[in-house]
Amino acid sequence: MTSNSANNRTDRLQYLTDRIEIQDVIARYGLGQDLHEDGDNDVLREWDAVFAPEGRADYSITGVPDLADIGYRELVDFMRRPGGSMSGLKRWQHFQAWSTVEISGDTATARTPHIHTHQGETDGQGWNLIQTGMFVDRLERRPEGWRIVHRTLEILWMDTFPVAA
Amino acid sequence: MTSNSANNRTDRLQYLTDRIEIQDVIARYGLGQDLHEDGDNDVLREWDAVFAPEGRADYSITGVPDLADIGYRELVDFMRRPGGSMSGLKRWQHFQAWSTVEISGDTATARTPHIHTHQGETDGQGWNLIQTGMFVDRLERRPEGWRIVHRTLEILWMDTFPVAA
Amino acid sequence: MTSNSANNRTDRLQYLTDRIEIQDVIARYGLGQDLHEDGDNDVLREWDAVFAPEGRADYSITGVPDLADIGYRELVDFMRRPGGSMSGLKRWQHFQAWSTVEISGDTATARTPHIHTHQGETDGQGWNLIQTGMFVDRLERRPEGWRIVHRTLEILWMDTFPVAA
């Protein structure tokens, strides 16, 4: 074994480890939403290990200008406070795909498709609002692991589907 | 190269190998359902390599008390026998997400979101029953590979969607 | 460290690298469709790094005999040319799952479930055509990376869902 091939192996092992760790961060975002429903709003239990402490997001594609630059803790409040944007929903799921990732040293960018579903009811008629889109993330390697420093939401389509009683 | 760093690399390589192998087991569960439709019920072709021989499941969240503690072969029978719980469906898909996994030696726990869809028809009106949820698994490393020893089904939401003729 | 164990580690590292690279190719196929909507049809920006130059597909399960054996560039043309098969759609997403892969040297086969969704509108009534299925791929390791040499589309179910105005 040459020293070069050993170094090469170490680099590849690091790359693979990074990919799996970043994929786990992406999955944890969805768990933060989906492990907390029915009045439990403790999303930060997961998201404090998803975002860097100063992590921010741009969700302005939803049509809400205030979401163009918002800290992740404020984002949780926006969605989960009494009367917040998710308060009218019954149940939901935030399903994440495999991420396409570019890593450069201690920084990375990731693009991740998602299918987000939201069950609701209006005047006794059930419906399900489905959003497909992608998250585009900048991540940094921190002592505690990979963390999102900035997340942008892109939407592909949103439709509200009627459901049977 | 110190012996420590070599050991460390071996440990990390083992961890990554375990993660991929466990993900493959999770995927194989879905294939067990989805490679066998239209009267073919040979789910065990895949599931015998998904579950340990003594593997059991708790699917009682579906509202069926008998499913609180059932062997995986009995579960196949429950769903796939003539008149079984899936006998009224036309087609289906069991789509699995990336798993969040904790490994400790030869045991592991995994949490995997899913989207399960089921196409049916009643009195000429087509419908699609969509279930979103998660599987929570205990796995063990066996000589033949990682196997699920216990699987619990959690449901996030279920809705029946009408479809066009 | 024995030479054997070093070789074994190198083989395992290669296998894991291959799995991640193949998964990235699978994801790139979906990005090729979904990064190009609203009149942008530059699918080849991604697909030229998905398929081998001579890569072909069999999508005849859609009911179009001409798609039984078609080059991937012709497939883009079939879908994306003016009046092509996707020209009547408003928006779409091509969501790919974890692939089950068998690698043998420089060739591989992969089976990947998918959920493809297509938003449209007819006479003012919105709808969403959802297709679930699997891709079955033969891949080869090329100097530029893993590439699909043949892709077969399998469909599990397709339904058109009405959506609210």
Side-chain angles (χ1 to χ4, degrees), chain B residues 3-75:
Chain B
S3 175
N4 272 350
S5 72
N7 284 342
N8 182 43
R9 278 204 296 278
T10 300
D11 288 349
R12 288 174 68 183
L13 190 54
Q14 183 62 54
Y15 174 77
L16 295 172
T17 302
D18 289 343
R19 285 298 301 273
I20 300 300
E21 286 184 4
I22 289 171
Q23 197 67 44
D24 287 345
V25 169
I26 299 297
R28 203 180 300 142
Y29 176 92
L31 294 183
Q33 292 276 28
D34 301 342
L35 291 177
H36 304 288
E37 311 206 10
D38 300 319
D40 165 13
N41 291 301
D42 195 11
V43 177
L44 294 177
R45 183 178 291 266
E46 281 76 31
W47 284 18
D48 279 340
V50 170
F51 292 93
E54 78 280 18
R56 299 186 77 75
D58 177 357
Y59 283 18
S60 59
I61 191 68
T62 57
V64 181
D66 283 354
L67 298 183
D69 180 25
I70 188 169
Y72 79 91
R73 288 169 171 270
E74 287 71 44
L75 180 59

Side-chain angles (χ1 to χ4, degrees), chain A residues 4-120:
Chain A
N4 272 350
S5 72
N7 284 343
N8 182 44
R9 278 204 297 277
T10 300
D11 287 350
R12 288 174 67 182
L13 190 53
Q14 184 62 53
Y15 175 76
L16 295 173
T17 302
D18 289 344
R19 285 297 302 271
I20 300 299
E21 286 185 2
I22 288 171
Q23 197 66 45
D24 287 346
V25 169
I26 299 298
R28 204 181 297 141
Y29 176 92
L31 294 183
Q33 291 277 28
D34 301 341
L35 292 177
H36 305 288
E37 310 206 11
D38 300 320
D40 165 13
N41 291 301
D42 195 10
V43 177
L44 294 177
R45 182 177 293 266
E46 282 77 30
W47 285 16
D48 279 340
V50 169
F51 292 94
E54 77 281 17
R56 300 188 76 76
D58 177 357
Y59 284 18
S60 59
I61 191 68
T62 57
V64 181
D66 283 355
L67 297 184
D69 181 23
I70 188 168
Y72 79 91
R73 288 167 171 272
E74 287 71 46
L75 180 60
V76 171
D77 186 59
F78 177 87
M79 297 186 293
R80 296 300 194 106
R81 70 178 174 233
S85 65
M86 293 177 73
S87 61
L89 301 171
K90 291 167 66 180
R91 304 280 291 174
W92 50 78
Q93 188 191 44
H94 294 72
F95 200 89
Q96 311 301 307
W98 181 252
S99 304
T100 298
V101 180
E102 293 189 19
I103 301 172
S104 177
D106 294 333
T107 64
T109 58
R111 177 177 285 278
T112 312
H114 67 254
I115 299 176
H116 292 179
T117 52
H118 314 80
Q119 185 192 58

Side-chain angles (χ1 to χ4, degrees), chain B residues 123-138:
Chain B
D123 298 333
Q125 170 61 52
W127 46 263
N128 206 301
L129 170 63
I130 302 185
Q131 177 198 87
T132 66
M134 302 189 198
F135 286 122
V136 179
D137 297 319
R138 285 190 293 112

Side-chain angles (χ1 to χ4, degrees), chain B residues 138-154:
Chain B
R138 285 190 293 112
L139 299 104
E140 292 184 10
R141 188 198 313 272
R142 297 292 169 90
E144 61 273 22
W146 284 97
R147 293 293 184 268
I148 296 173
V149 294
H150 193 270
R151 159 159 283 200
T152 301
L153 170 65
E154 296 179 358

Side-chain angles (χ1 to χ4, degrees), chain C residues 100-133:
Chain C
T100 298
V101 180
E102 291 189 20
I103 302 172
S104 176
D106 293 333
T107 64
T109 59
R111 176 178 285 278
T112 310
H114 66 254
I115 300 177
H116 292 179
T117 53
H118 315 80
Q119 184 191 59
E121 188 177 314
T122 304
D123 298 334
Q125 170 61 50
W127 46 263
N128 206 301
L129 171 62
I130 302 186
Q131 177 197 85
T132 66

